[in-house]
């Protein structure tokens, strides 16, 4: 069974750093890219970027370029989304998803709350 | 980046009725790599249609997709209660993938 399991909810202060994770299982991890999607409370889906598990061809949406960093450790079949300095506007649910012919499997989401 | 505009913003229909949702791209979507998702309240999005018109695994036949280039649509032939949700289109033909803003399908 294909699964993407994300790390738990986080509460952070503005300016703090954060790294959340997404562990894939049940499939050949290196075959499919992992995308990250943001959903602010009550809002739509925003494509943040995508990374290949071999570490090449990482792409970022213009809206997120320079704001976040995507990485992968294929030895433990885990993808990461990282911030160096969080803002209150980063409060959202963050999803990882496997990119096939579309995003066919999704993680359960990680709620990130940034508040003073 | 390709901008996707979905219409209408909200669609009010009754169970059993036919729904047609639109997704228009600011430029042609390469390879017609246009997909549709349904997101029920409090749930993770689910892939319905890929490559504009192919149903994803396990998706019932009442869902169909059509279109090419810049104009795409999702049709639900006869609405079931679980279909009242938000629908998103997404393109992944260009190097930077993008979502539409969503169409909310609500019970009339």
């Amino acid at each position: 069974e294909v699964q993407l399991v994300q790390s738990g909810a986080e509460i952070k202060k503005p300016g703090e750093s954060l790294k959340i994770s997404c562990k894939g299982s049940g499939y050949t991890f290196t075959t499919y890219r992992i995308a990250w999607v943001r959903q602010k409370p009550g809002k739509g889906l925003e494509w943040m970027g995508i990374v290949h598990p071999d570490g090449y061809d990482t792409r970022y949406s213009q809206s997120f370029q320079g704001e976040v960093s995507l990485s992968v450790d294929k030895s433990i079949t885990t993808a990461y989304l990282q911030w160096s300095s969080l803002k209150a506007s980063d409060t959202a649910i963050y999803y990882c998803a496997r990119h096939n012919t579309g995003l066919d499997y999704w993680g359960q989401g990680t709620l990130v709350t940034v508040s003073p | 980046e390709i901008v996707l505009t979905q219409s209408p913003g909200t669609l009010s229909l009754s169970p059993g009725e036919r729904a047609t949702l639109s997704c228009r791209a600011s430029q042609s979507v390469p390879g017609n790599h246009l997909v549709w998702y349904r997101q029920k309240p409090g749930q993770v999005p689910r892939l319905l249609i890929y490559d504009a018109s192919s149903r994803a695994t396990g998706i019932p036949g009442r869902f169909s997709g059509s279109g090419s280039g810049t104009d795409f649509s999702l049709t639900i032939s006869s609405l079931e209660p679980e279909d009242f949700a938000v629908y998103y289109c997404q393109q992944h033909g260009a190097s930077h993938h993008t979502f539409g803003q969503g169409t909310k399908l609500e019970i009339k």
Side-chain angles (χ1 to χ4, degrees):
Chain A
E1 178 194 7
V2 174
Q3 282 193 308
L4 294 173
V5 178
Q6 296 186 230
S7 49
E10 301 274 1
I11 300 176
K12 291 289 191 179
K13 297 187 185 317
E16 291 187 330
S17 63
L18 177 63
K19 191 174 188 177
I20 63 175
S21 66
C22 168
K23 182 171 176 60
S25 63
Y27 71 101
T28 303
F29 186 72
T30 51
T31 300
Y32 302 94
R33 292 178 289 172
I34 296 289
W36 288 89
V37 176
R38 182 173 79 177
Q39 188 166 38
K40 291 190 172 184
K43 302 299 183 182
L45 305 174
E46 300 176 86
W47 187 84
M48 301 176 69
I50 195 165
V51 60
H52 194 283
D54 279 333
Y56 68 86
D57 192 29
T58 303
R59 306 176 194 173
Y60 298 89
S61 165
Q62 292 172 6
S63 300
F64 294 93
Q65 180 79 47
E67 302 295 325
V68 298
S69 177
L70 305 185
S71 61
V72 173
D73 185 342
K74 65 181 181 181
S75 70
I76 54 171
T77 65
T78 300
Y80 301 97
L81 169 62
Q82 184 172 8
W83 295 260
S84 59
S85 180
L86 286 160
K87 308 181 186 71
S89 58
D90 293 320
T91 295
I93 296 174
Y94 293 87
Y95 295 103
C96 64
R98 188 180 83 164
H99 179 84
N100 188 359
T101 49
L103 301 177
D104 60 352
Y105 287 91
W106 293 64
Q108 81 277 21
T110 296
L111 175 61
V112 174
T113 303
V114 184
S115 180
Chain B
E1 295 184 345
I2 297 177
V3 175
L4 299 179
T5 302
Q6 293 186 239
S7 62
T10 302
L11 185 57
S12 300
L13 293 169
S14 301
E17 289 194 294
R18 181 185 186 90
T20 301
L21 287 65
S22 173
C23 177
R24 178 163 290 179
S26 60
Q27 57 188 279
S28 184
V29 176
N32 292 322
H33 291 307
L34 192 287
V35 301
W36 290 92
Y37 304 90
R38 177 181 67 186
Q39 186 177 32
K40 299 178 188 178
Q43 295 190 18
V44 170
R46 181 177 184 183
L47 177 64
L48 301 173
I49 301 288
Y50 66 91
D51 289 347
S53 60
S54 297
R55 272 192 301 277
T57 302
I59 300 304
R62 65 180 183 273
F63 291 93
S64 63
S66 63
S68 64
T70 61
D71 288 295
F72 301 88
S73 62
L74 173 70
T75 299
I76 310 169
S77 59
S78 179
L79 287 166
E80 297 286 340
E82 63 266 27
D83 297 333
F84 292 93
V86 180
Y87 291 80
Y88 297 94
C89 58
Q90 183 207 17
Q91 66 78 25
H92 64 91
S95 61
H96 296 92
H97 309 172
T98 47
F99 285 98
Q101 83 279 16
T103 289
K104 182 179 181 180
L105 181 52
E106 65 177 23
I107 299 176
K108 186 174 182 179

